[in-house]
Amino acid sequence: MDNQTETKRHFSFGDFYSKLGPLVALIVLIVLVSILNFSFLDPLNLLNLLRQVSINALIAFGMEFVILTGGIDLSVGSILALSGAFTAQLVLMGVPSFIAFLIGMVTGGIFGALNGVLIAYGKAAPFIATLATQTIFRGATYVFTKGNPITGAKMSNNFGFQFFGQGYLFGIPFPVYIMVLFYILAFILLHRTTFGRKTYALGGNPRAAFVAGVKNNKMIIWIYTLAGFLSAVAGMILTSRLASAQPDAGVAYEMDAIAAVVLGGTSLAGGKGKMFGTLIGALIIGVLNNGMNLLGISSFYQQIVKGIVILVAVLLDRKQAKA
Amino acid sequence: MDNQTETKRHFSFGDFYSKLGPLVALIVLIVLVSILNFSFLDPLNLLNLLRQVSINALIAFGMEFVILTGGIDLSVGSILALSGAFTAQLVLMGVPSFIAFLIGMVTGGIFGALNGVLIAYGKAAPFIATLATQTIFRGATYVFTKGNPITGAKMSNNFGFQFFGQGYLFGIPFPVYIMVLFYILAFILLHRTTFGRKTYALGGNPRAAFVAGVKNNKMIIWIYTLAGFLSAVAGMILTSRLASAQPDAGVAYEMDAIAAVVLGGTSLAGGKGKMFGTLIGALIIGVLNNGMNLLGISSFYQQIVKGIVILVAVLLDRKQAKA
Amino acid sequence: KAVSLTPPTFGGTHTTKKSKDKLKVGVSLSTLSNPFFISVRNGINDVAKQNGTKTEVFDAQNDSSKQSSDIEDLIQKKVDVIIINPVDSDAIVPAVKDANNAGIPVIACDRGSNGGKLLTTVASDNVKAGKMAAQYMMSKVPKGGQVAELEGTPGADAAIQRGKGFNTAAKNNLKIVTKQSADFDRAKGLSVMENILQAHSSIQGVFAQNDEMALGAVKAINNPDLVVVSIDGEPQGLTAVKQGKISGIIAQSPEVEGQLAIKAAYAHYQGKSVPKHTTSPIHLVTKENVSKYK
Amino acid sequence: MEIDMQHISKAFGPNVVLKDVNFSVKGGEVHALMGENGAGKSTMMNILTGLLEPNGGSIKVDGKETHFASALEAEQHGISFIHQEMNNFGEMPILDNMFLNKEIKTRFGFIDNVKMKAIAQKSLAKLDVKLDLNQPIGNLSVGQQQMIEIAKSLMTDAKIIIMDEPTAALTENEIGKLFDVIKSLKAQGVGIIYISHRMEELFEISDRVTVMRDGLTINTYNTKETNVKQIVHDMVGRDMGDFYPDRHPKFGKVMLETNKLTREGVFKDISFSVRSGEILAFSGLMGAGRTEVMRAIFGIDKLDSGTITVNGKQVKISNPSDAIKDNIGFLTEDRKSEGLILDDSIADNIDLPSIEGFVKHGMIDRKADRDFVNLLMKRLTVKANSAEDEAGSLSGGNQQKVVLAKWVGSGSQVLILDEPTRGVDVGAKREIYDLMNELTDRGTAIIMVSSDLDEVLGFSDNIAVLYEGKLMGVVPTATATQESVMTLATGGEN
Ligand SMILES: Nc1ncnc2c1ncn2[C@@H]1O[C@H](COP(=O)(O)OP(=O)(O)OP(=O)(O)O)[C@@H](O)[C@H]1O
Ligand SMILES: Nc1ncnc2c1ncn2[C@@H]1O[C@H](COP(=O)(O)OP(=O)(O)OP(=O)(O)O)[C@@H](O)[C@H]1O
Ligand SMILES: [Mg+2]
Ligand SMILES: [Mg+2]
């Protein structure tokens, strides 16, 4: 009976995938695309790619926490749109863009907190609660914008406002800095603080976590707040990049974020996954989109390819829990 | 020790809701809409409403089985579109419409079976597996239709083809008969046969189901096949009704179907729910859509109202399982 | 400069002259799941094929942010000209500026761009189309007649402008009893129409902001006297006009739009000057003249 | 019927669980199967009933080489299996549970509820269980669910019944009922395979005993010809001293005192106190409300009224986090659902309640944390390769030690242990008792809820007895007897 546990877990490809697989998949993908089209490796293209990835990555960082608790957030795209519309309106009203961004992000956090309250205290299943708020926030965005994009000279002639999503610092797009910054913060929060440990515990076994002193409800609210906040940050980038707040911005973004998280090896059942994986997952999706564009694959086939890539990655990671 | 268990579960509104609540909610809604707009109760409107509901209801019947197993099917809308496109193409090629419908439905079942195999043998989480196939089937639909609606004189001048979605039998729209027929079949299958028992068992405790000799994988494949099949039936109705197969038919239909199931008191965690509830859930959504149109509520506010109704129903049914 | 709004370097100056078969044309369309834009693409591709020009077509799937990524990728592919059919005229501006910075001429198609430098804008006037629809409706429906409006996807450019044109022209002459969105979608057009008819049984006309919704709506309508007017002119719409189901369509010419766009690119690379606006024709199609267009 | 399993071997991946195990049973006998946690007893039975494929060996039924493809097939051949882990569907009515996948159908292929109900009730009557069969089985207590499992197996006209720790959740009363049933089954020629960690049961009920260790059959005895010492020796591979270690308590000040704790409909006016160095046992029948009292004290459930005083200070506990801050620890009755995060590492389980203590500059000091975990693992002799192993990969006894380690580590001065030795083998049990001794020597106050009356009488200082949510009295263990405790537990006066 002594050291049986040593050899207990035999080598499995699934195990391997969830540890290193996403990275390997990303590298294979990059090599493949580069061979098929040299201009992929052009530094400028890589910078573009990173900027394109930043929005999905930011949302996915928040989604990672949510999914680790065994939850899901379908409302991120709507939160992105609504907070973007608020910020745009504030800028048009003459509020300095820095303040407007801050307010936008905080608003996003508040919407997220609302999700959290519904799930924690309302005991609503996350899927259905956030499906409902997705609709509500989207409707609110339409009402707020009256269905029209919000734009104006105060936005398009405002350096500070434009810089957030369009600017370059030392030749690197500013959104890339934001993505890296929040990656580091999210990484520390998840892997180095008690908040992260409690997130895992909650996803692994909420009842056991509660008995061990985790305040489940409080944690859930904070986690959805974080997801809302990060979606709003992504919303700021998008609004700035387009110099316009689109009422239908972010539709279906939750799906790309969830796909990034899952491609990164995180289990939808909760309790298992790494922030690094999610970053890689977002990059895989970004490289796929960018690469297929560069290769001139028609958008119809792009969808098929993307679906198959997700499927293959998930099938390799067989350790996904219950049906 | 004797009859303590009787009093164990005290009366709770949640309990009440999941038993009778959906029906009460529906009645309240109907009364409300009728008061605000008398023409709601016009028999013609009610028949229209039933026909409008039929598509979502059919999808929701299949979704009910899937959700009872603790799974989810996000690909139903894409299956609807793809099987509709096949059928339309067959009709244009001169295949008798009855045969074309049958082939379309079977195709839908096959796509569903594919989902089932991925989930049962691939051990992929249903959410992500069907998210991937959603994209794949949609892409396939675009490729198949080249992005154009499929239509032609062979469809619009074909009585048999048109009757399925547009016809009336004794003054009642034919799709209503289809809905009722499949409701009865689904009801019997779920509540009166061993297939239904096993479905509940699978959702309640898949390990225990396995120990009891339930062939989990086979069940899962059949259940997703059923969901695909019923989506295809809905697709037949839509294609016939429009006399045209739209490549983007059914986008986001999964959400309405899921909402119907959940409004009907079925838990997303699986193992708990009734077919009757799902029918009521679909009717609630139908009355909401129809009623808000009748009342001339702007589509912006319609979304908000719909979201709130879902939320309220779910909050009442607090017994939803784990976060 | 450490801080700027433009990417670090952009090598490569663009020649002003290039033969048609040497040109590489990038195309970014708002969506390809709509027959109208498929026709635009076909217009571009047909002309390109005749002249041996290479094209690169991207589909933004109605997402402004995907479109800006698509255009980044086109710039990356060093195309000689980009034809953009924007998802949104405001949201496209930064992408147009990116192309400007890269020295790639931009042609807007069907919708304009509210900023940046454009070689030309090829478009039919959506506001005008809305107005024409209203005028036709007024010729068919008595003054003060009740009309319902089926609106497109909330926030979409076409929905906003067509609605604006129609409503300003109809303001004092028609009574618009209800406006409901059917998302430019045929199936929704059908069910929304059913419900509208229920609430407003006495309407005399329906204005649908595109053919797809009109094609759905006519399925719900049993009254042959009800006047249905829409905008676009896609093949199935024209068939419906022929059958008398739709009374009138303000038809645009998507293929012509596409042709005009790529021809503007040729003109530019032959050193000719290109006018700021290239209007693509619109015309009223009714039962009387439909055979001319179909 | 006669079953003969020869040279059975089984490995999960590289982990060899069964090397060469022989086991046989015939009609009319009770054959007990003994072995430490993880010895492979349940695995043997899973192989017999077709739930697992053996890697080698043969299974003969009535002399014929047999292979069951599924549990259902085994059952159809007259072999019924009452599982150690409850295989229930909480939301499903009791009746549906009992007939899952073997529903009786009418001529038209529909389910025949009337017939099923009649059969179920007949079988339940043998066990003296009367219940509304339409209520969800999840409403029942663990013990009641176990009774249903047993009834389910009686329904099948089985020739051989496997009982894998059937009494783990049962009260003395119900165990008595079960033994009556076993005796009558035996008389009817039914063979029983009986797996239990309770030594005294095996001598009461079994005819033969087989002991397993390290994947091998050590010995098979006629029960009459052997004794506890011999069997324990075979199980752990060495001699063991007394079953219960001696208590030498030194009581200190009162660590926890409750005053009229009430939760409407569940328990009422519970007042007791426990001192530093004391083990206070809580005894009572199943459903008496012991677990509920402890959950309320620990802040998992809400109290309607009453006060709690810890270490002389009245405290307000509204959730477990508060309780932990007041240095209370709680080993829950249900290890899998409330005690452990099975997918997480041992380390992550152990340090969870103490994690806030390892924060340095806002981050977790990983080294200090792991040192702490390793120290605890050593002190509680958790058998694992490393602290990074998944908790779920451990045997039952070791899992229990991990939960204990977690509460020892969080510095609990009051430790509530709800059924700490349930389903734990003798070796591990002894280690847990030794540990409890060590803790009380250091001044910890322990509340031990136990349904094992032997344990209550053998290893505590005082005994509190609950009956239908009321505290019937607290008696010193030294003067208590089986009878006196049972009298209180059944509502009688002392
Ligand atoms: N499905 C499985 N996969 C991997 N290992 C397993 C599996 N089932 C059991 N094991 C391992 O096999 C060994 C024997 O387990 P088993 O459940 O048969 O023990 P047991 O004798 O019944 O113990 P207990 O008295 O605790 O019930 C244990 O080490 C266990 O971890
Ligand atoms: N989840 C629950 N919901 C409602 N009542 C419950 C629940 N769990 C237990 N009860 C009831 O509370 C009472 C006390 O049960 P409890 O589990 O505390 O008893 P116990 O003395 O610890 O017995 P056991 O040996 O079964 O643990 C019983 O009437 C029981 O049926
Ligand atoms: Mg066992
Ligand atoms: Mg208990």
Side-chain angles (χ1 to χ4, degrees):
Chain A
M1 301 260 66
D2 24 82
N3 58 353
Q4 58 175 48
T5 40
E6 195 169 3
T7 43
K8 200 176 229 161
R9 300 261 144 168
H10 57 109
F11 179 85
S12 83
F13 199 80
D15 248 9
F16 171 72
Y17 182 83
S18 66
K19 292 238 171 63
L20 275 179
L23 193 57
V24 173
L26 177 63
I27 291 170
V28 169
L29 204 63
I30 289 176
V31 170
L32 217 74
V33 175
S34 315
I35 291 173
L36 294 172
N37 190 323
F38 286 119
S39 65
F40 176 80
L41 287 179
D42 183 329
L44 222 75
N45 184 53
L46 295 180
L47 289 180
N48 270 342
L49 184 140
L50 285 177
R51 179 169 54 195
Q52 291 166 10
V53 163
S54 64
I55 289 175
N56 184 29
L58 282 166
I59 302 176
F61 296 157
M63 191 66 84
E64 167 82 7
F65 280 89
V66 169
I67 289 181
L68 277 175
T69 68
I72 202 143
D73 189 346
L74 302 178
S75 73
V76 287
S78 301
I79 291 182
L80 176 151
L82 186 49
S83 56
F86 279 174
T87 299
Q89 191 60 46
L90 288 172
V91 171
L92 286 192
M93 284 160 52
V95 175
S97 35
F98 179 72
I99 311 261
F101 283 137
L102 271 188
I103 295 180
M105 294 177 196
V106 170
T107 333
I110 293 172
F111 296 137
L114 187 66
N115 283 331
V117 169
L118 291 170
I119 292 160
Y121 291 105
K123 300 273 172 275
F127 186 95
I128 201 76
T130 58
L131 178 62
T133 55
Q134 178 193 68
T135 315
I136 295 172
F137 295 152
R138 180 66 60 189
T141 311
Y142 282 131
V143 170
F144 183 75
T145 62
K146 302 193 183 65
N148 293 315
I150 299 180
T151 189
K154 281 208 177 117
M155 284 161 75
S156 47
N157 296 335
N158 180 333
F159 182 81
F161 177 78
Q162 304 245 62
F163 185 76
F164 199 77
Q166 295 183 44
Y168 289 82
L169 192 64
F170 306 115
I172 293 171
F174 192 64
V176 178
Y177 292 96
I178 300 174
M179 172 174 77
V180 171
L181 172 72
F182 280 106
Y183 172 70
I184 294 172
L185 292 179
F187 181 90
I188 291 176
L189 190 62
L190 183 60
H191 296 300
R192 294 281 179 272
T193 71
T194 59
F195 186 89
R197 282 295 311 283
K198 291 176 190 166
T199 305
Y200 280 107
L202 208 55
N205 184 347
R207 293 175 64 188
F210 182 64
V211 171
V214 176
K215 291 190 177 129
N216 293 11
N217 288 346
K218 225 176 94 186
M219 279 298 294
I220 286 175
I221 293 173
W222 275 116
I223 283 169
Y224 283 85
T225 304
L226 181 67
F229 175 82
L230 285 171
S231 310
V233 174
M236 302 301 111
I237 293 179
L238 188 63
T239 312
S240 160
R241 172 92 183 105
L242 301 176
S244 146
Q246 305 289 110
D248 55 357
V251 167
Y253 278 21
E254 67 279 4
M255 293 306 174
D256 265 3
I258 294 166
V261 170
V262 173
L263 280 176
T266 297
S267 153
L268 277 177
K272 274 204 163 127
K274 298 248 152 65
M275 197 48 75
F276 179 67
T278 295
L279 179 66
I280 300 294
L283 286 171
I284 290 177
I285 292 177
V287 172
L288 260 180
N289 287 338
N290 176 275
M292 291 195 293
N293 269 351
L294 289 188
L295 301 178
I297 296 174
S298 109
S299 67
F300 300 165
Y301 285 101
Q302 287 198 12
Q303 293 193 45
I304 298 182
V305 173
K306 212 164 129 183
I308 290 176
V309 168
I310 294 177
L311 217 47
V312 169
V314 172
L315 289 185
L316 291 183
D317 187 16
R318 289 173 165 256
K319 285 180 61 193
Q320 297 283 349
K322 86 157 215 164
Chain B
M1 223 1 10
D2 24 84
N3 56 355
Q4 59 174 52
T5 41
E6 205 163 353
T7 44
K8 198 180 239 167
R9 302 257 148 168
H10 56 109
F11 179 85
S12 84
F13 198 81
D15 249 8
F16 171 73
Y17 182 83
S18 66
K19 291 235 173 62
L20 275 178
L23 192 58
V24 174
L26 177 63
I27 292 169
V28 169
L29 203 62
I30 289 177
V31 169
L32 215 75
V33 176
S34 315
I35 292 172
L36 293 172
N37 189 323
F38 287 120
S39 64
F40 175 82
L41 288 178
D42 183 330
L44 220 75
N45 184 51
L46 295 180
L47 288 180
N48 269 342
L49 185 138
L50 286 178
R51 181 168 52 194
Q52 290 167 11
V53 163
S54 64
I55 289 175
N56 184 29
L58 282 166
I59 302 175
F61 297 158
M63 191 67 83
E64 166 83 7
F65 281 89
V66 169
I67 289 181
L68 278 175
T69 68
I72 202 143
D73 189 347
L74 302 178
S75 71
V76 286
S78 301
I79 291 182
L80 177 151
L82 187 49
S83 55
F86 278 173
T87 300
Q89 190 59 47
L90 288 172
V91 172
L92 286 192
M93 283 160 54
V95 175
S97 38
F98 179 71
I99 311 258
F101 282 138
L102 271 187
I103 295 180
M105 295 176 196
V106 170
T107 333
I110 292 171
F111 295 137
L114 186 68
N115 284 330
V117 169
L118 290 171
I119 292 160
Y121 291 104
K123 299 272 172 277
F127 186 95
I128 201 76
T130 57
L131 178 63
T133 56
Q134 178 193 69
T135 315
I136 294 172
F137 296 152
R138 181 65 61 189
T141 311
Y142 282 132
V143 170
F144 185 75
T145 61
K146 302 194 182 64
N148 286 310
I150 300 181
T151 189
K154 281 210 175 114
M155 285 160 75
S156 46
N157 296 336
N158 180 332
F159 180 81
F161 178 78
Q162 303 247 56
F163 185 77
F164 198 78
Q166 297 183 42
Y168 289 82
L169 193 64
F170 307 116
I172 292 172
F174 191 65
V176 178
Y177 291 97
I178 299 173
M179 171 173 76
V180 171
L181 172 72
F182 280 106
Y183 172 72
I184 294 172
L185 292 179
F187 181 91
I188 291 176
L189 189 62
L190 184 60
H191 296 299
R192 294 282 178 271
T193 73
T194 57
F195 185 89
R197 279 293 152 75
K198 290 179 200 164
T199 305
Y200 281 106
L202 216 52
N205 184 346
R207 217 201 95 75
F210 178 72
V211 169
V214 175
K215 298 208 171 89
N216 294 7
N217 287 346
K218 223 175 97 186
M219 279 299 294
I220 287 176
I221 293 173
W222 275 116
I223 284 169
Y224 283 86
T225 304
L226 181 67
F229 175 82
L230 286 170
S231 309
V233 174
M236 301 302 110
I237 294 180
L238 188 65
T239 312
S240 158
R241 178 94 182 102
L242 297 173
S244 150
Q246 306 289 109
D248 55 357
V251 168
Y253 278 21
E254 67 280 5
M255 292 305 174
D256 264 3
I258 294 167
V261 170
V262 173
L263 280 175
T266 297
S267 152
L268 276 177
K272 215 186 122 215
K274 299 246 154 63
M275 196 49 76
F276 179 67
T278 295
L279 179 66
I280 300 295
L283 286 171
I284 290 177
I285 292 178
V287 171
L288 260 180
N289 285 338
N290 176 279
M292 290 196 293
N293 274 343
L294 288 189
L295 301 178
I297 295 175
S298 110
S299 65
F300 302 163
Y301 286 101
Q302 288 198 11
Q303 294 195 44
I304 298 183
V305 172
K306 212 164 130 182
I308 290 176
V309 169
I310 294 177
L311 217 46
V312 169
V314 172
L315 290 185
L316 292 181
D317 188 15
R318 285 167 167 262
K319 286 180 59 195
Q320 297 283 349
K322 86 155 215 168
Chain C
K1 251 190 336 183
V3 177
S4 79
L5 284 180
T6 48
T9 47
F10 269 110
T13 46
H14 282 258
T15 47
T16 40
K17 286 202 179 179
K18 228 174 190 181
S19 67
K20 291 175 180 174
D21 58 336
K22 293 262 164 57
L23 278 181
K24 223 165 96 186
V25 178
V27 183
S28 167
L29 293 172
S30 60
T31 176
L32 271 179
S33 49
N34 180 328
F36 186 88
F37 297 105
I38 293 177
S39 298
V40 172
R41 180 199 62 190
N42 292 344
I44 295 170
N45 278 343
D46 291 347
V47 174
K49 209 179 256 165
Q50 284 160 20
N51 295 291
T53 312
K54 266 183 69 186
T55 60
E56 198 67 73
V57 183
F58 287 176
D59 168 9
Q61 291 163 357
N62 272 326
D63 177 350
S64 289
S65 106
K66 177 163 192 318
Q67 186 157 39
S68 75
S69 301
D70 286 348
I71 289 167
E72 284 170 2
D73 294 343
L74 284 171
I75 294 170
Q76 190 55 37
K77 297 183 93 168
K78 303 201 166 48
V79 293
D80 299 297
V81 60
I82 303 178
I83 300 174
I84 304 178
N85 156 235
V87 175
D88 181 83
S89 305
D90 291 309
I92 200 65
V93 176
V96 172
K97 286 181 178 164
D98 284 352
N100 292 159
N101 287 328
I104 302 173
V106 177
I107 296 166
C109 183
D110 196 57
R111 293 169 197 144
S113 164
N114 292 341
K117 245 175 41 221
L118 295 173
L119 196 56
T120 183
T121 304
V122 184
S124 52
D125 188 338
N126 268 321
V127 179
K128 188 174 160 210
K131 279 189 186 141
M132 283 172 68
Q135 275 149 10
Y136 179 69
M137 181 73 84
M138 290 180 305
S139 74
K140 289 277 168 186
V141 172
K143 197 171 158 69
Q146 295 191 0
V147 173
E149 183 174 356
L150 290 175
E151 298 178 304
T153 311
D157 248 21
I160 296 166
Q161 291 176 15
R162 289 171 186 185
K164 194 162 122 200
F166 184 84
N167 287 295
T168 30
K171 203 166 186 181
N172 299 315
N173 299 299
L174 297 172
K175 191 167 174 242
I176 297 164
V177 291
T178 183
K179 291 185 206 175
Q180 296 273 320
S181 169
D183 291 339
F184 285 138
D185 177 82
R186 197 184 291 197
K188 284 206 185 110
L190 166 55
S191 61
V192 171
M193 195 65 224
E194 283 175 350
N195 298 338
I196 287 178
L197 284 173
Q198 197 55 44
H200 307 280
S201 47
S202 52
I203 52 168
Q204 291 155 292
V206 175
F207 167 55
Q209 288 181 355
N210 79 344
D211 288 352
E212 282 291 319
M213 293 189 292
L215 285 165
V218 294
K219 294 257 166 224
I221 297 170
N222 295 317
N223 175 1
D225 298 330
L226 199 65
V227 183
V228 180
V229 181
S230 66
I231 300 177
D232 266 359
E234 57 169 277
Q236 291 183 31
L238 298 180
T239 310
V241 172
K242 203 168 174 181
Q243 293 164 340
K245 288 180 181 157
I246 296 179
S247 318
I249 288 182
I250 313 304
Q252 305 182 316
S253 319
E255 286 192 37
V256 177
E257 257 177 40
Q259 290 160 4
L260 288 173
I262 191 165
K263 281 176 183 161
Y266 291 157
H268 175 74
Y269 277 101
Q270 285 159 0
K272 295 179 194 157
S273 80
V274 179
K276 274 245 125 321
H277 283 278
T278 314
T279 349
S280 135
I282 50 175
H283 32 249
L284 171 66
V285 180
T286 60
K287 199 163 186 172
E288 287 71 45
N289 66 359
V290 66
S291 47
K292 233 174 53 198
Y293 298 97
K294 207 177 146 53
Chain D
M1 188 190 259
E2 191 171 350
I3 290 173
D4 195 12
M5 301 174 77
Q6 288 294 331
H7 310 299
I8 303 291
S9 64
K10 173 73 189 173
F12 294 103
N15 175 26
V16 181
V17 175
L18 303 176
K19 289 178 193 144
D20 180 8
V21 181
N22 304 315
F23 185 80
S24 68
V25 64
K26 54 182 184 295
E29 78 160 345
V30 176
H31 192 159
L33 183 57
M34 302 295 287
E36 290 188 289
N37 289 122
K41 305 179 293 293
S42 301
T43 304
M44 265 303 267
M45 296 304 115
N46 284 334
I47 288 171
L48 172 59
T49 53
L51 284 166
L52 288 174
E53 285 289 322
N55 297 116
S58 75
I59 302 171
K60 289 203 176 100
V61 176
D62 289 334
K64 246 193 13 245
E65 186 82 29
T66 310
H67 171 89
F68 299 121
S70 70
L72 204 60
E73 198 182 310
E75 197 169 292
Q76 280 153 1
H77 283 77
I79 302 175
S80 166
F81 191 175
I82 303 170
H83 288 266
Q84 176 178 17
E85 310 287 336
M86 223 78 67
N87 289 302
N88 281 332
F89 307 94
E91 300 286 356
M92 230 189 235
I94 298 172
L95 185 67
D96 295 6
N97 261 292
M98 294 180 73
F99 282 91
L100 185 74
N101 211 27
K102 43 188 182 229
E103 293 87 356
I104 298 171
K105 290 188 237 177
T106 63
R107 263 184 303 151
F108 309 106
F110 298 141
I111 293 170
D112 190 342
N113 276 316
V114 179
K115 207 179 225 165
M116 285 176 5
K117 198 171 239 172
I119 293 173
Q121 261 153 359
K122 213 172 87 192
S123 166
L124 284 166
K126 287 186 199 155
L127 295 164
D128 266 2
V129 179
K130 282 188 227 94
L131 286 169
D132 169 14
L133 296 184
N134 290 323
Q135 65 177 324
I137 200 160
N139 282 5
L140 305 185
S141 67
V142 185
Q144 284 172 316
Q145 292 188 31
Q146 187 70 54
M147 293 301 266
I148 300 284
E149 286 289 311
I150 294 163
K152 208 163 106 182
S153 142
L154 297 182
M155 249 164 36
T156 59
D157 291 323
K159 306 275 189 326
I160 301 285
I161 300 181
I162 303 161
M163 300 188 179
D164 197 351
E165 301 193 31
T167 55
L170 300 188
T171 56
E172 301 291 327
N173 208 344
E174 285 165 316
I175 292 173
K177 269 268 122 38
L178 175 66
F179 284 3
D180 289 346
V181 171
I182 290 179
K183 280 170 197 151
S184 93
L185 285 170
K186 207 167 106 174
Q188 293 161 32
V190 175
I192 311 258
I193 300 173
Y194 193 86
I195 300 173
S196 175
H197 288 293
R198 292 188 181 175
M199 214 54 78
E200 72 278 5
E201 289 179 355
L202 124 99
F203 286 95
E204 179 176 348
I205 202 78
S206 76
D207 302 301
R208 285 198 293 163
V209 192
T210 291
V211 184
M212 282 169 64
R213 173 163 42 92
D214 294 341
L216 298 168
T217 318
I218 303 299
N219 264 317
T220 299
Y221 304 101
N222 287 321
T223 311
K224 284 197 204 94
E225 293 156 15
T226 184
N227 55 49
V228 178
K229 221 172 142 212
Q230 179 69 50
I231 289 172
V232 170
H233 177 92
D234 285 353
M235 277 170 70
V236 298
R238 64 189 155 88
D239 272 322
M240 275 207 356
D242 274 341
F243 206 79
Y244 298 109
D246 291 336
R247 289 279 307 147
H248 303 290
K250 280 199 289 288
F251 298 150
K253 58 180 173 172
V254 171
M255 292 303 298
L256 176 94
E257 186 167 8
T258 69
N259 184 25
K260 302 209 168 193
L261 299 183
T262 301
R263 185 171 155 80
E264 292 309 334
V266 185
F267 54 82
K268 199 167 156 45
D269 292 342
I270 306 288
S271 307
F272 68 89
S273 66
V274 55
R275 287 162 291 179
S276 156
E278 176 181 354
I279 296 179
L280 173 65
F282 262 74
S283 188
L285 298 180
M286 177 175 76
R290 295 162 299 171
T291 297
E292 300 270 326
V293 171
M294 299 311 152
R295 288 171 66 87
I297 292 175
F298 199 64
I300 299 174
D301 296 336
K302 293 261 165 302
L303 275 173
D304 291 320
S305 64
T307 58
I308 299 169
T309 310
V310 178
N311 211 351
K313 264 209 324 269
Q314 188 173 325
V315 296
K316 182 167 166 24
I317 297 173
S318 43
N319 54 44
S321 170
D322 292 346
I324 292 165
K325 284 192 196 103
D326 292 324
N327 294 323
I328 305 176
F330 184 31
L331 181 137
T332 51
E333 183 176 27
D334 193 339
R335 189 169 59 223
K336 289 219 164 85
S337 77
E338 291 185 332
L340 285 172
I341 301 166
L342 294 171
D343 284 346
D344 277 3
S345 67
I346 298 169
D348 285 356
N349 272 287
I350 291 181
D351 71 10
L352 191 56
S354 333
I355 192 71
E356 299 289 359
F358 292 99
V359 177
K360 219 163 102 186
H361 313 305
M363 293 190 214
I364 298 171
D365 180 347
R366 221 180 126 74
K367 190 175 171 306
D369 174 61
R370 292 294 122 141
D371 286 349
F372 162 82
V373 166
N374 286 327
L375 191 78
L376 279 166
M377 280 179 69
K378 211 175 282 160
R379 196 170 136 207
L380 279 88
T381 59
V382 176
K383 266 184 240 148
N385 192 48
S386 102
E388 304 307 322
D389 285 1
E390 278 182 21
S393 72
L394 299 178
S395 72
N398 278 306
Q399 287 185 3
Q400 197 73 316
K401 286 190 212 161
V402 169
V403 186
L404 269 168
K406 152 168 133 172
W407 295 119
V408 171
S410 74
S412 307
Q413 288 164 357
V414 178
L415 200 49
I416 306 171
L417 309 176
D418 196 354
E419 309 285 1
T421 62
R422 179 180 283 178
V424 170
D425 69 57
V426 276
K429 237 182 213 170
R430 177 61 195 251
E431 286 178 86
I432 290 172
Y433 296 139
D434 285 339
L435 186 80
M436 286 166 73
N437 255 342
E438 193 186 320
L439 288 169
T440 48
D441 286 350
R442 289 162 179 250
T444 309
I446 292 181
I447 298 172
M448 177 181 77
V449 177
S450 174
S451 297
D452 185 343
L453 202 48
D454 273 341
E455 178 175 83
V456 166
L457 291 166
F459 195 66
S460 70
D461 302 322
N462 287 292
I463 303 172
V465 186
L466 241 58
Y467 166 71
E468 291 192 341
K470 289 188 294 287
L471 185 59
M472 302 303 288
V474 181
V475 293
T477 309
T479 61
T481 62
Q482 291 246 1
E483 292 69 34
S484 66
V485 174
M486 277 316 284
T487 314
L488 286 173
T490 49
E493 291 297 315
N494 212 1

